Amino acid sequence: MTIDETSIPTDRDRVEDAVRRARHAARWWGGLSHDDRKNWLLEFKSVVARNSASLVDVVREETGKPADDALLEVMLAVEHLTWAAKNARRVLRERSVLPGLVSANQAASVRYEPMGVVGVIGPWNYPVYTPMGSIAYSMAAGNAVVFKPSELTPRTGTWLADTWDSLSAPHSVLQTVVGDGAVGAHLARAGVDKVAFTGSTATAKKVMATCAETLTPIVVEGGGKDALIVDEGADLDAASEFAAFGAMGNAGQTCAGVERVYVVDALADRFVDKLVARVTDLRVGDAADAQYGRMTLPRQVDVVRSQVEDALARGGRAVVGGPESVRPPYVDPVVLLDVPEDSEAQVEETFGPTVVVNRVRDLDEAIDRANTSKYGLGASVFTGSAAAGRRAADRLRVGVVSINSVLGFAAIGALPFGGVGDSGFGRIHGADGLREFSRVKSVTTQRFAPPLNLVTMTRKRRDVAIARFLLTKIHGRRRR
Ligand code: NDP
């Protein structure tokens, strides 16, 4: 018997089928009221929360992270799902705008309409929280979603879609298509109305090129090389505690994790002592009480090793660990000091449990150095002065700043999240996140004939003369 190969669906067929079904689902979902969608989404989050133990198990098995970290991730995702569901009506309702003097005869309003189908392409490091930032806000804005999880976390992605299906909604508004990068490329090419990509900057460029073929819009949540600044007056216990968590938590596999620390000279020795004490005996491994687990992406250990070796070869010093800390699939904590700013460890994303601490003269130098990165996702500033913290936030070239904490934004639904430069563009979360997945439509309604009729093929000379007079009278006045 010969198998008819043409009857075996290809990856492309699977993706196109899912997008077709999603388009059908989007007509139902997009036609519901905000309140109806809110109710479905709140039911969805309740089921996710009630079954979080099983989701935690899947995440733990696929990523190797401790159960507590997986639980934290699920909690954050549920928080965002709730915020998006509850706020979509307020944020996306039609609103009237002032038409201005020239168009005083028009009523003007802005609408935010669903786009249709959003293709979400997600990474493996936070396989629930990260894609949920796009999934929840897309769905709350009235779109159906086709989600392509990382090939390292397919069961987590499937769990989410299966859980939606368990609600017995008439249509699958959330579907998951599993597979490798080629499946992601098919999705970007399948005629979706927007792609929400989270992953590395290198892949983002490829996905963007694919989207360009069909002029499909894209939001990019890319990598990061976040700096933590320790300024005069900082609480060093808090700064070192947060630095340890930001650098080592989730084995350093956090897009907005701490990879670089800039500490003012006067505090440097004391800060380093405290940081060393906090990370030296971290429990790394698969045991139930481990503080972080294995590197999820096996080849990332080579990146970490190469960066540590390069930093040491260029004059950096290791005060915790070193190249020997890389013992696949684990990497023990590494703290490096005095690493040249042009070394790999300072320029490229590490995505491992290592951190570089460099001394600076003052806050100005810290900000200047932090801003040299091609990435611009997040930053943290520890300072004794709220005003200094806010001034630093003004000057840091990043999308999110946490003052006196790290990752302070993560659970705040109202705060938009995203970066600049190589960290990407567009925003998920918050009102901007809801609008990111909406199509803006401007509507005018003529209420009465304009006193000056300039939009006619039979303009009167008198109307044009009055318009010319008003132009100079209203706009032409000297301002200085
Ligand atoms: P990758 O860039 O390797 O992959 C991201 C996603 O893109 C995966 O689902 C991947 O599939 C898919 N993909 C790969 N090639 C293509 C392609 N040609 N077309 C379409 N899709 C493709 O990132 P990682 O999964 O390794 O995640 C780590 C990265 O994500 C880090 O750089 C991290 O900083 C970043 N990140 C950013 C966040 C943010 O919000 N800014 C949050 C979390 C992570 P597959 O895995 O199957 O190859």
Side-chain angles (χ1 to χ4, degrees):
M1 192 178 80
T2 56
I3 297 172
D4 176 7
E5 290 192 0
T6 56
S7 66
I8 302 172
T10 62
D11 281 349
R12 184 175 165 177
D13 296 335
R14 282 194 300 120
V15 170
E16 289 181 350
D17 268 2
V19 172
R20 241 189 316 275
R21 277 195 301 277
R23 196 153 297 292
H24 193 60
R27 276 197 283 277
W28 167 70
W29 184 246
L32 295 182
S33 68
H34 279 298
D35 281 344
D36 284 342
R37 281 198 292 266
K38 177 174 87 177
N39 290 335
W40 279 109
L41 290 171
L42 292 181
E43 181 57 22
F44 183 38
K45 72 106 187 190
S46 304
V47 181
V48 172
R50 283 201 298 277
N51 295 294
S52 57
S54 90
L55 180 54
V56 164
D57 284 346
V58 177
V59 171
R60 179 167 159 68
E61 281 163 27
E62 290 194 320
T63 63
K65 67 174 74 180
D68 291 355
D69 281 354
L71 180 68
L72 185 62
E73 179 180 349
V74 174
M75 283 169 62
L76 294 178
V78 165
E79 198 63 42
H80 281 282
L81 191 46
T82 308
W83 193 92
K86 288 189 173 171
N87 288 278
R89 187 170 72 135
R90 177 183 61 79
V91 171
L92 301 177
R93 72 175 193 277
E94 181 169 1
R95 63 195 67 211
S96 301
V97 296
L98 289 175
L101 190 60
V102 172
S103 303
N105 62 319
Q106 305 276 357
S109 64
V110 185
R111 288 181 191 171
Y112 296 93
E113 299 179 345
M115 304 183 90
V117 178
V118 176
V120 174
I121 300 175
W124 46 263
N125 59 334
Y126 289 93
V128 180
Y129 171 64
T130 294
M132 194 54 90
S134 300
I135 293 170
Y137 291 80
S138 293
M139 289 173 74
N143 304 288
V145 169
V146 178
F147 171 37
K148 189 327 239 170
S150 163
E151 62 188 318
L152 298 179
T153 55
R155 286 196 295 125
T156 304
T158 307
W159 192 100
L160 292 173
D162 288 350
T163 300
W164 171 268
D165 285 340
S166 74
L167 304 182
S168 301
H171 297 280
S172 251
V173 179
L174 171 61
Q175 299 173 75
T176 293
V177 286
V178 298
D180 60 10
V183 171
H186 290 312
L187 182 56
R189 207 173 257 131
V192 294
D193 299 285
K194 184 146 196 170
V195 168
F197 172 83
T198 308
S200 63
T201 306
T203 308
K205 290 177 185 173
K206 290 186 201 161
V207 182
M208 208 171 154
T210 306
C211 286
E213 293 167 16
T214 45
L215 218 60
T216 301
I218 178 170
V219 47
V220 169
E221 297 295 338
K225 189 77 199 167
D226 289 11
L228 180 151
I229 294 172
V230 185
D231 182 29
E232 282 167 22
D235 174 342
L236 291 187
D237 287 322
S240 56
E241 178 64 42
F242 276 117
F245 178 74
M248 309 299 165
N250 206 39
Q253 304 165 117
T254 302
C255 55
V258 175
E259 300 215 346
R260 301 176 291 156
V261 173
Y262 296 107
V263 52
V264 292
D265 247 327
L267 302 181
D269 291 339
R270 278 194 293 144
F271 172 81
V272 169
D273 287 348
K274 285 177 187 284
L275 179 63
V276 167
R278 286 181 197 282
V279 304
T280 299
D281 293 321
L282 288 181
R283 294 181 300 281
V284 181
D286 275 337
D289 69 342
Q291 286 158 299
Y292 68 79
R294 65 178 156 87
M295 300 291 285
T296 308
L297 180 66
R299 66 170 183 274
Q300 197 66 20
V301 295
D302 298 329
V303 174
V304 176
R305 189 190 292 110
S306 136
Q307 290 195 5
V308 172
E309 285 172 352
D310 178 63
L312 297 176
R314 287 157 160 271
R317 291 184 293 132
V319 285
V320 176
E324 70 283 2
S325 304
V326 179
R327 44 178 192 97
Y330 307 105
V331 178
D332 290 324
V334 180
V335 178
L336 302 167
L337 304 186
D338 307 328
V339 176
E341 293 294 333
D342 61 353
S343 66
E344 275 180 51
Q346 286 295 73
V347 173
E348 301 299 337
E349 189 178 39
T350 311
F351 232 52
T354 77
V355 65
V356 169
V357 182
N358 279 348
R359 292 164 177 265
V360 288
R361 210 175 38 250
D362 53 22
L363 182 62
D364 283 345
E365 187 185 352
I367 292 170
D368 287 346
R369 289 215 207 177
N371 283 345
T372 55
S373 177
K374 60 189 173 186
Y375 293 104
L377 192 52
S380 300
V381 185
F382 286 81
T383 172
S385 147
R390 299 198 72 80
R391 272 201 309 279
D394 288 346
R395 289 178 50 203
L396 282 161
R397 182 188 155 275
V398 294
V400 284
V401 178
S402 303
I403 300 172
N404 291 339
S405 77
V406 296
L407 304 167
F409 57 87
I412 303 177
L415 275 182
F417 177 71
V420 304
D422 273 13
S423 293
F425 50 82
R427 291 294 179 266
I428 56 172
H429 303 173
D432 295 84
L434 287 166
R435 292 193 192 109
E436 186 75 50
F437 299 109
S438 303
R439 206 164 265 152
V440 184
K441 187 175 280 173
S442 301
V443 179
T444 61
T445 308
Q446 174 145 318
R447 294 181 303 152
F448 51 85
L452 295 182
N453 195 1
L454 301 175
V455 284
T456 167
M457 299 311 291
T458 54
R459 260 179 226 133
K460 297 201 174 75
R461 299 190 72 77
R462 176 183 155 277
D463 284 1
V464 174
I466 294 173
R468 190 177 296 120
F469 171 77
L470 289 176
L471 173 69
T472 49
K473 203 72 191 156
I474 296 170
H475 295 290
R477 262 178 301 152
R478 290 186 196 286
R479 305 195 58 87
R480 281 186 285 163

